[in-house]
Amino acid sequence: MATPNGCPDPPAAAAADGPYIPAELIPDIAKHLTSLNDIFALRAGCRAYRATLPLCRDLLASQPPCLLVPHSASPSLPLFNLLEPGCPSFSLALFHVPDRRLHRFRARLPFARTGGVLTSDGAQVVAVDDATGEIIVTHLLYGAQAHLPKPPLPHDRVILTGGYLFAPATGRTDVQCSSPWTTTQWTVASYGGEHEIQDWHIVNGVLYGFLPTCGLVMASPSKGSSSMDLSPLGGEFDPQVLLAMQESKGAPLLGDCGGEVLLIFKVGSIDPAYKIFRWDASESMWATATSLGGRTLFIGFDDFAACIGPDVPGIRGDCVYGSLPWAGGWSEYSMIDATCKCFTAKYPGEPGVGFARPQVWVLPSLFCN
């Protein structure tokens, strides 16, 4: 027997599961919860509990970072079998980084063997259906999905930043852009010039691009045309940035920290290390970053996820956390003493040996920004 608001009948609930808790007391109880597991369990009690306990920033701000990892009910299956679309044994789980354990959370996304998770901004996850090229943006905790058709031009990667999705065209000075929660169409804009932009990132509502000449540009759409205007800001042929580009083990990444534009290079042949520059707008030049002001950067396999902090429980300040899908874990690089530690994500239901795990960062404190 259930009450009209969706909660179990109080006497029945008391007999089956212990004391009945009135829905109006749930927000007060939630203030004392420190585990995302407990928040999920409390919201799962009934519809009234979920209505009085929305996933708001006040509730999630103290939650530490997680990795979205593959989970299998049949661990003996190799990973490449699990990634087949519709595999009943496959789901996604949240791995609690500080405590090294899984949350009671499962999600399904449309995977294909060579597709899967592409990127994350810490709150939303982008996946691709390799059979159709369709791109899906998922808000994990709310379950909302936005479906976009295959971009019209070939692309090697997608970038999720500032609520927009970018798919730079391969070998061309064109970029494809969409606002997935407001439209299902792609806009193709040409920015011309001699060089392809290496990375795009939105900081404080402004779209920036990084050129192979080390220059930073500010991009804005041209009125009445399908082109994009680039405004050079400086930084060309900076010797320190050129050296970092030579040492880099991947593409340069634009990011942000405390409202400033960052340029990030992953270096180091064995343990991941990073060279980071911040954009000095007053001098129109790149400056070496020696500190993050107590904040923490989160880097995916080939993308910038987010910056959080300072003072987020369970993580180290002035550090770069890097996802290591080929190793099934993550790295923690300290900006203070330039040391790196690598960790393996071990958990029940961990899939067998196969290709690189699809894993991205999920940062609960960003879900309601």
Side-chain angles (χ1 to χ4, degrees), residues 8-63:
D9 179 71
D17 302 313
Y20 167 72
I21 303 174
E24 58 268 22
L25 297 181
I26 295 300
D28 290 331
I29 295 173
K31 294 177 182 178
H32 301 281
L33 299 180
T34 58
S35 166
L36 200 60
N37 257 352
D38 294 336
I39 294 172
F40 289 148
L42 189 59
R43 294 186 79 247
C46 64
R47 291 195 299 273
Y49 288 5
R50 288 190 291 275
T52 58
L53 191 60
L55 290 168
C56 61
R57 178 165 175 76
D58 289 342
L59 187 63
L60 298 174
S62 63
Q63 297 300 318

Side-chain angles (χ1 to χ4, degrees), residues 157-208:
R157 61 188 292 238
V158 295
I159 304 165
L160 183 61
T161 174
Y164 290 87
L165 196 62
F166 294 90
T170 305
R172 303 174 55 155
T173 55
D174 297 291
V175 63
Q176 304 165 102
C177 175
S178 179
S179 176
W181 299 107
T182 58
T183 180
T184 59
Q185 302 299 318
W186 291 95
T187 299
V188 180
S190 174
Y191 51 86
E194 301 177 0
H195 305 288
E196 290 182 56
I197 288 181
Q198 304 290 291
D199 199 22
W200 301 85
H201 193 64
I202 294 177
V203 183
N204 296 327
V206 178
L207 176 61
Y208 295 93

Side-chain angles (χ1 to χ4, degrees), residues 242-293:
L242 285 171
L243 179 60
M245 290 180 71
Q246 294 173 3
E247 298 175 346
S248 177
K249 302 303 179 182
L253 301 177
L254 286 180
D256 65 274
C257 181
E260 292 186 320
V261 179
L262 295 183
L263 177 60
I264 305 163
F265 295 95
K266 185 177 180 179
V267 298
S269 57
I270 302 177
D271 292 336
Y274 295 88
K275 287 191 174 181
I276 301 176
F277 303 88
R278 63 175 184 85
W279 181 249
D280 187 336
S282 62
E283 299 292 335
S284 298
M285 61 181 292
W286 295 109
T288 301
T290 58
S291 168
L292 300 173

Side-chain angles (χ1 to χ4, degrees), residues 119-144:
T119 187
S120 156
D121 66 356
Q124 303 169 97
V125 174
V126 180
V128 63
D129 185 337
D130 241 24
T132 63
E134 180 184 32
I135 292 177
I136 302 96
V137 182
T138 302
H139 197 297
L140 280 179
L141 291 191
Y142 292 122

